[in-house]
């Protein structure tokens, strides 16, 4: 029997199709239709029997949800496992689903903090600092800076996933490399968010007092204690309200109302 | 106005499909849609500036997990468009964008619910090994997502531009200025949401490091990001590995073909 093999052609198809992962997002099984859609070329290539095709399709119709950028890594592993399954009659096909289910959570954790909490924040921070002056390179730089890691992780993850399969990824996790990457990205993310609170929150008070004939500017005093003290305080007030499970919609409406009132009183 | 309404509708469509079929390239973010709206309406500079303002406010709003976030696409595009059309500043964009985003969110929820129907049809096709059918069921929902933002955006610009302009002109100046103040406060929500994701007692000090570097040393964001990366490498790789060597743990590298003996 000739060995059935996933070729470069199918991997390329996985790569392009993986962009549409959330195309048919639904509440019941989330990204599953997008996932089965990316796996179709592999299933077609590996299985010729009707029953095998049905089984494979149903396998990938199961619930799936992870950060889109890291999904190709899992798809690469799925492709490698489907290949083993097609060639080895003793292969336990349920392990394909088990691996998917066990990887999507941890990879979503690392993917979200990497892409949403770090790359996006850095790219947006740099982009916004240009764009506030009306510079068109702001949005363009934002897109470029974010998408370099986005595309790179998609390509490299797919290749890595297919080539090394399940075992190595488990090993990476066991050796704590995942934790290390996570800790590093969290560090950078926090540093940048700290910088953004200081540079992008423009909260200054126009309040002035008359103290024994001398005019006192409150903002100048605050600046002498610590520059950007008000932005820091406001951020932490909102942070603690979030921790108290106040919804974002309520917070937004609250701040809109508070802004008008505070301005009317003359504090800000 | 007809041509512009259609083009803005398409910009909204591209924005909503970004997270659906374009692999989250960030085309949906207000920073980018603001620029595109500016291009369509012939005022790129204003579009970019308002986009930056809205991006700050919605910094923390992310489509992660299973939840459906406020629709920053429709909100951002209509807010920016009305601000440019009415000739008012970012304050107007903001006061329109925030409620529109919350309203438009419900359409996104509706589409996700309707998608359940196509999912079940796809289930049936899968059990017949009908690849074509499954693919078809996968591609109908993106059309629904597109329409869910194209139609409201098109109608709002086509029918609402004059009314919105009249409405905005009627609002007293104190309120508009107050909204400007609120606009400066709102990004705190975005930063707080990011902190909610990143902040822990152990790691919290890095937030203050960035804050102090910007406040006292007056470094810009690029400098802070680069220095932060160096610090992350130093702490998590250099120092951590040193500790591992001290307790003389064998260092495993992950090169290909390495034999794992355990």
């Amino acid at each position: 029997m000739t060995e059935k093999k996933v070729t470069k052609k199918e991997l390329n198809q996985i790569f392009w199709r993986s962009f549409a992962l959330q195309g048919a997002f639904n509440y019941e099984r989330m990204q599953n239709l997008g996932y089965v859609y990316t796996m179709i070329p592999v299933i077609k290539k590996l299985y010729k029997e009707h029953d095998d095709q049905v089984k494979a399709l149903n396998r990938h119709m199961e619930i799936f949800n992870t950060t889109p950028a890291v999904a190709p890594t899992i798809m690469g592993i799925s492709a490698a496992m489907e290949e083993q399954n097609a060639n080895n009659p003793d292969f336990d096909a349920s392990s394909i689903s088990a691996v998917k289910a066990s990887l999507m959570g941890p990879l979503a954790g690392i993917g979200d903090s990497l892409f949403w909490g770090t790359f996006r924040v850095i790219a947006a921070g740099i982009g916004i600092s240009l764009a506030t002056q009306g510079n068109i390179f702001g949005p363009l730089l934002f897109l470029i800076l974010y998408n370099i890691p986005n595309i790179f992780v998609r390509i490299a993850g797919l290749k890595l996933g297919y080539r090394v399969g399940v075992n190595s990824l488990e090993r990476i996790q066991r050796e704590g490399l995942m934790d290390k990457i996570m800790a590093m990205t969290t560090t950078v993310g926090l540093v940048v968010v700290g910088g953004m609170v200081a540079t992008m929150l423009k909260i200054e008070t126009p309040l002035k007092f008359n103290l024994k004939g001398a005019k006192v500017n409150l903002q100048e005093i605050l600046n002498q204690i610590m520059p950007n003290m008000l932005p820091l305080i406001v951020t932490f007030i909102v942070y603690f309200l979030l921790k108290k499970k106040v919804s974002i919609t309520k917070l937004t409406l609250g701040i809109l109302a508070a802004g008008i009132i505070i301005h009317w009183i003359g504090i800000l | 106005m007809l041509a512009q309404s259609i083009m803005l509708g398409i910009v909204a469509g591209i924005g909503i499909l970004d997270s659906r079929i374009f692999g989250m390239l960030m085309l949906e973010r207000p920073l980018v849609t603001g620029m595109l709206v500016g291009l369509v309406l012939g005022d790129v500079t204003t579009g970019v500036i308002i986009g930056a303002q809205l991006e700050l406010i919605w910094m923390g709003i992310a489509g992660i997990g299973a939840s459906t976030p406020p629709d920053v696409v429709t909100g951002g595009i209509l807010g920016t468009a009305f601000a440019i059309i009415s000739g008012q500043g970012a304050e107007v964009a903001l006061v329109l964008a925030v409620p529109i985003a919350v309203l438009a969110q419900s359409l996104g929820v509706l589409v996700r619910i309707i998608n359940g129907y196509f999912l079940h049809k796809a289930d049936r096709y899968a059990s017949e090994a009908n690849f074509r059918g499954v693919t078809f069921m996968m591609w109908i929902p993106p059309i629904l997502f597109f329409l869910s933002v194209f139609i409201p955006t098109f109608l709002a610009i086509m029918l609402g531009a004059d009314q919105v302009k009249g409405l905005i002109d009627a609002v007293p100046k104190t309120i508009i200025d107050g909204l400007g103040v609120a606009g400066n406060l709102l990004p705190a929500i975005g930063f707080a949401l990011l902190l909610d994701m990143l902040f822990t007692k152990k790691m919290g000090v890095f937030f203050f490091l960035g804050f102090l570097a910007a406040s006292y040393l007056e470094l810009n964001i690029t400098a802070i990001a680069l220095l932060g990366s160096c610090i992350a490498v130093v702490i998590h790789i250099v120092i951590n590995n040193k500790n591992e060597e001290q307790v003389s743990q064998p260092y495993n590298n992950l090169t290909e073909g390495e034999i794992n003996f355990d």
Side-chain angles (χ1 to χ4, degrees), chain B residues 37-106:
Chain B
V37 170
L39 276 173
V40 170
L41 296 176
D43 189 351
V44 186
T45 311
T46 309
V48 168
I49 293 171
I50 294 174
Q53 189 70 28
L54 291 176
E55 181 67 45
L56 268 180
I57 291 168
W58 281 326
M59 194 79 195
I61 289 181
I64 56 178
S67 63
T68 308
D71 179 7
V72 299
V73 176
T74 315
I77 287 171
L78 285 179
T80 312
F82 285 135
I84 294 178
I85 291 169
S86 69
Q88 301 274 1
E91 296 84 28
V92 167
L94 171 116
V95 71
L96 293 172
V98 171
I100 292 173
V102 176
L103 280 177
Q105 174 188 17
S106 54

Side-chain angles (χ1 to χ4, degrees), chain B residues 125-212:
Chain B
Y125 287 126
S127 62
E128 297 160 3
N130 181 347
F131 292 106
R132 219 172 238 275
V134 174
T135 305
F136 205 53
M137 291 307 109
M138 149 73 206
W139 280 108
I140 293 174
I143 298 170
L144 298 181
F145 276 116
F146 182 90
L147 291 176
S148 79
V149 296
F150 178 87
I151 295 171
T153 308
F154 172 78
L155 289 178
I157 300 285
M158 195 64 200
L159 306 174
D162 289 336
Q163 281 87 328
V164 171
K165 193 176 181 317
L167 200 72
I168 290 166
D169 289 342
V171 177
K173 194 176 176 301
T174 340
I175 305 265
I176 296 278
D177 288 346
L179 288 170
V181 170
N184 289 337
L185 293 171
L186 280 174
I189 298 182
F191 296 133
L193 279 165
L194 287 171
L195 285 183
D196 199 29
M197 184 158 90
L198 300 169
F199 201 89
T200 54
K201 280 204 177 96
K202 203 177 134 199
M203 304 286 281
V205 66
F206 293 109
F207 168 82
F208 294 102
L209 191 72
F211 177 81
L212 297 174

Side-chain angles (χ1 to χ4, degrees), chain A residues 25 27-29 120 171 187, chain B residues 59 68 115 123 236 260:
Chain A
F25 193 99
Y27 289 121
E28 196 181 313
R29 278 173 263 163
R120 185 184 60 106
R171 215 168 84 218
T187 306
Chain B
M59 194 79 195
T68 308
N115 288 349
D123 272 336
H236 298 294
N260 197 2

Side-chain angles (χ1 to χ4, degrees), chain A residues 19 22-23 25 27-29 32 37 50 61 116 120 147 154 171 180 187 191 201 226 228 243 252, chain B residues 19-21 23 25 59 64 68 98 115 119-120 123 128 184 196 203 210-211 215 236 241 258 260:
Chain A
F19 283 87
Q22 307 202 83
F25 193 99
Y27 289 121
E28 196 181 313
R29 278 173 263 163
N32 73 326
Y37 172 68
H50 180 269
M61 287 286 277
W116 276 101
R120 185 184 60 106
N147 281 308
R154 283 170 178 274
R171 215 168 84 218
K180 206 171 258 185
T187 306
V191 172
L201 268 181
M226 185 169 80
N228 302 314
K243 285 268 167 213
T252 308
Chain B
S19 274
R20 305 294 121 213
I21 61 173
L25 300 174
M59 194 79 195
I64 56 178
T68 308
V98 171
N115 288 349
L119 169 68
H120 293 131
D123 272 336
E128 297 160 3
N184 289 337
D196 199 29
M203 304 286 281
F211 177 81
S215 292
H236 298 294
N241 282 356
E258 183 214 353
N260 197 2

Side-chain angles (χ1 to χ4, degrees), chain A:
Chain A
M1 197 178 81
T2 54
E3 194 177 334
K4 299 186 191 82
K5 189 123 182 65
V6 174
T7 62
K8 209 171 158 56
K9 186 178 158 229
E10 283 77 40
L11 289 179
N12 273 332
Q13 280 174 305
I14 293 182
F15 173 73
W16 290 112
R17 286 177 177 229
S18 73
F19 283 87
L21 179 68
Q22 307 202 83
F25 193 99
N26 57 82
Y27 289 121
E28 196 181 313
R29 278 173 263 163
M30 300 177 195
Q31 301 165 339
N32 73 326
L33 269 177
Y35 202 95
V36 76
Y37 172 68
T38 51
M39 294 307 291
I40 281 177
V42 173
I43 297 171
K44 271 184 173 170
K45 168 88 188 200
L46 294 174
Y47 303 106
K48 298 295 170 227
E49 299 290 324
H50 180 269
D51 284 357
D52 292 340
Q53 289 181 343
V54 171
K55 274 184 208 151
L57 280 173
N58 282 331
R59 232 180 345 256
H60 295 293
M61 287 286 277
E62 281 162 17
I63 186 167
F64 188 79
N65 201 26
T66 197
T67 311
V70 299
T73 311
I74 305 180
M75 291 161 180
I77 294 171
S78 286
M81 294 182 82
E82 288 290 354
E83 191 180 270
Q84 285 179 5
N85 185 44
N87 290 308
N88 179 2
D90 298 328
F91 190 85
D92 179 12
S94 67
S95 66
I96 299 173
S97 304
V99 165
K100 266 171 72 180
S102 65
L103 282 177
M104 64 185 189
L107 278 183
I110 192 172
D112 286 347
S113 95
L114 203 62
F115 284 93
W116 276 101
T118 310
F119 294 144
R120 185 184 60 106
V121 172
I122 295 171
I126 295 169
I128 290 171
S129 61
L130 285 174
T132 41
Q133 292 139 32
N135 190 335
I136 195 165
F137 285 107
L140 296 180
L141 204 60
F142 166 59
L143 285 176
I144 294 168
L145 286 177
Y146 178 80
N147 281 308
I148 290 172
N150 181 17
I151 303 294
F152 173 78
V153 167
R154 283 170 178 274
I155 296 174
L158 177 59
K159 281 186 179 164
L160 180 89
Y162 176 68
R163 202 184 57 213
V164 304
V166 203
N167 301 330
S168 292
L169 213 69
E170 270 176 6
R171 215 168 84 218
I172 289 171
Q173 209 166 5
R174 205 174 55 229
E175 283 172 3
L177 193 66
M178 292 264 204
D179 294 338
K180 206 171 258 185
I181 295 173
M182 190 103 163
M184 280 174 68
T185 56
T186 306
T187 306
V188 183
L190 277 170
V191 172
V192 173
V193 174
M196 287 177 85
V197 166
T199 55
M200 290 172 182
L201 268 181
K202 304 244 177 306
I203 306 172
E204 289 185 335
T205 173
L207 276 188
K208 288 185 180 67
F209 298 102
N210 247 326
L211 223 70
K212 294 176 192 161
K215 272 206 180 277
V216 178
N217 184 330
L218 182 60
Q219 185 60 47
E220 276 172 18
I221 296 174
L222 290 177
N223 284 350
Q224 277 164 12
I225 302 169
M226 185 169 80
N228 302 314
M229 200 162 91
L230 289 178
L232 187 67
I233 294 170
V234 170
T235 304
F236 272 97
I237 292 174
V238 178
Y239 174 64
F240 286 119
L241 287 174
L242 269 180
K243 285 268 167 213
K244 294 250 176 263
K245 303 279 172 220
V246 180
S247 78
I248 300 169
T249 311
K250 272 186 199 149
L251 274 173
T252 308
L253 295 176
I255 288 183
L256 278 178
I260 294 170
I261 295 167
I262 290 172
H263 176 69
W264 186 61
I265 302 172
I267 296 177
L268 287 178

